[in-house]
Amino acid sequence: MPKVLAVLGVGPGLGLSIARRFGGEGFTTALVSRTDARHADYRASLAGINALTYTADVTDEAQLRDVLVRITADAGQIDTVYFGPADATAGPGITPLTEAAAGTLRASFDSLVLPAARLVGTVLPVMLERGSGSLLFAGGLSGKYPMPMLGSLAPASAALRMYVLTLHAALREKGVHAGLLTIGGLVERGDIHRVFTAQDHGFPVGTLDPDDIADRAWSLYTERDAEAEFTAMAAV
């Protein structure tokens, strides 16, 4: 029976490229997004891959649990989860760190770190019982290097990074893998790329090819490494 990849927070950029990369290796891919407006296009672009689509807000705990149950019923036990719904266009947005009150920082944690923790709490017990599985997350380069232009997002990004890296260390002897894609730049074809290129944000950001990142995501999965870093920034 084919292994199952759940792509939670799929978009036309990285999420779709990861589905294509893993699907090319024989995985059944389950794509989850907030609306079904682009689902037909996603399935068409994954010709030759068994691609299922679902509608859910994966930052909502009840909807997350429900969609994972549906995926398991339709395709079988989930081997790998890619979680990438959080972005700079969602949640509280960016506030300069020198102006960010405690509530603003908490809102960033609520939108970045808590959904990841809820996912882990939902899928990890089954993976541990089975003794296999992989948890892949997308994070930002501001979680590793000081980047003042990302302001209030940076502390939450750092917390997400350390959460995943600590999970990796805690799980590596238990057959379950946790890994992080640390991304510094705009991922081409993605929604964030579209938003940023349509507006003047006052600082230059380079672009990254989502297919290249997806190739590294596959290597992260097969080699069971903790982190892969990508940067198109001039300096960090």
Side-chain angles (χ1 to χ4, degrees), residues 164-207:
V164 177
L165 295 183
T166 305
L167 268 180
H168 174 86
L171 294 172
R172 60 188 170 193
E173 303 299 327
K174 301 179 184 296
V176 180
H177 168 247
L180 180 69
L181 303 170
T182 296
I183 300 169
L186 298 178
V187 179
E188 295 169 0
R189 304 195 296 271
D191 290 329
I192 305 173
H193 178 266
R194 173 180 50 80
V195 170
F196 267 72
T197 53
Q199 302 173 8
D200 181 8
H201 286 266
F203 54 89
V205 183
T207 62

Side-chain angles (χ1 to χ4, degrees), residues 22-215:
F22 279 69
E25 299 291 340
F27 276 66
T28 294
T29 62
L31 314 179
V32 184
S33 57
R34 285 187 175 92
T35 77
D36 62 2
R38 295 184 287 197
H39 284 179
D41 290 339
Y42 292 162
R43 292 192 301 270
S45 73
L46 296 172
I49 294 171
N50 185 13
L52 310 174
T53 50
Y54 301 84
T55 302
D57 178 356
V58 296
T59 65
D60 178 275
E61 187 170 8
Q63 293 187 49
L64 173 66
R65 290 181 181 277
D66 176 70
V67 77
L68 292 172
V69 168
R70 285 187 282 147
I71 291 169
T72 302
D74 293 342
Q77 286 193 349
I78 297 169
D79 173 81
T80 302
V81 174
Y82 166 72
F83 194 68
D87 61 56
T89 66
I94 298 173
T95 300
L97 201 57
T98 54
E99 302 172 14
T104 301
L105 295 180
R106 179 172 181 173
S108 294
F109 275 78
D110 287 348
S111 67
L112 283 168
V113 184
L114 294 188
R118 292 190 192 105
L119 168 65
V120 172
T122 303
V123 301
L124 184 57
V126 174
M127 290 182 173
L128 286 172
E129 181 178 358
R130 194 175 64 221
S132 66
S134 188
L135 300 159
L136 300 177
F137 299 85
L141 201 63
S142 65
K144 186 173 183 180
Y145 303 104
M147 301 177 70
M149 75 283 284
L150 292 180
S152 57
L153 293 180
S157 182
L160 176 64
R161 179 174 181 268
M162 188 51 60
Y163 176 65
V164 177
L165 295 183
T166 305
L167 268 180
H168 174 86
L171 294 172
R172 60 188 170 193
E173 303 299 327
K174 301 179 184 296
V176 180
H177 168 247
L180 180 69
L181 303 170
T182 296
I183 300 169
L186 298 178
V187 179
E188 295 169 0
R189 304 195 296 271
D191 290 329
I192 305 173
H193 178 266
R194 173 180 50 80
V195 170
F196 267 72
T197 53
Q199 302 173 8
D200 181 8
H201 286 266
F203 54 89
V205 183
T207 62
L208 298 163
D209 186 336
D211 295 337
D212 291 342
I213 300 175
D215 282 339

